[in-house]
Amino acid sequence: ARSCRTRRGGVRHPRGPGRPAPPFAGRGPSGGTHVAKGTEVPLNANAKPGSNAIPDVSGRSVGDATAKLNQAGWKNVITGATVASLKFGNGDVVSTNPTAGQTVPLSTQIVLKVSGGGVAVPALVGLTEADAIAQLNHAGLAYQIIDSQGPPGTTPGTVWQTKPGQGRAVLPSGSVRLY
């Protein structure tokens, strides 16, 4: 503003709460119009985006979730890591980062965590190692055996702990550690 010899003043832009201003949306004379020296001409520049609460897009397809977030003002939406989920089907959005309900600037990148499906870890604690391995093979899961002495009273040769634990989601063909 100074190099054009205009008066300094506040920059105004037409927008409502949570809506970004359009780039250089003017209300004054159109470009190329001559005005008298000293005339105040509003210049409505695209200001820093506002903030909104992130909508819950869990359970939607990636395309639907992206469209809903774009419609709400976020243009920087990406797909992140695939996660295990028993609640949401393969390819559906499980959650966002930042999380739904959080109020963030519209310039914030939103990462979609997408379900790769899921298999529940079966009840393995107390089974023999061989029986636990058979259960995991039946469920289509891989395993790692961690040689670690269990707490006092643990029967040798039996599984005393799993990671993840019973009922937790693992990606199909994922791995469970047996202790």
Side-chain angles (χ1 to χ4, degrees):
R2 194 176 276 185
S3 65
C4 301
R5 291 193 198 140
T6 59
R7 288 187 295 161
R8 281 199 247 166
V11 175
R12 290 181 246 144
H13 49 83
R15 70 180 196 132
R19 294 182 52 192
F24 297 102
R27 282 192 270 170
S30 60
T33 303
H34 292 282
V35 295
K37 185 176 181 178
T39 302
E40 185 175 324
V41 177
L43 173 63
N44 300 321
N46 190 1
K48 196 171 190 175
S51 295
N52 266 343
I54 298 173
D56 183 6
V57 293
S58 58
R60 294 176 177 257
S61 69
V62 171
D64 287 349
T66 301
K68 183 168 184 170
L69 290 164
N70 287 168
Q71 185 178 21
W74 286 278
K75 303 301 180 204
N76 191 2
V77 180
I78 65 167
T79 301
T82 301
V83 297
S85 175
L86 299 173
K87 184 176 180 181
F88 300 106
N90 190 14
D92 290 340
V93 174
V94 174
S95 62
T96 58
N97 185 16
T99 58
Q102 189 174 348
T103 299
V104 298
L106 295 173
S107 59
T108 302
Q109 183 178 67
I110 307 296
V111 180
L112 302 177
K113 294 180 184 177
V114 180
S115 173
V119 177
V121 175
L124 304 172
V125 173
L127 297 180
T128 65
E129 189 176 286
D131 287 343
I133 290 169
Q135 291 260 348
L136 290 171
N137 285 334
H138 181 71
L141 297 172
Y143 60 89
Q144 291 178 293
I145 298 173
I146 310 297
D147 286 324
S148 176
Q149 187 174 9
T154 303
T155 306
T158 62
V159 175
W160 59 274
Q161 181 182 19
T162 64
K163 287 189 181 178
Q166 176 184 341
R168 300 293 301 245
V170 179
L171 285 169
S173 302
S175 183
V176 177
R177 289 177 292 198
L178 303 174
Y179 294 85

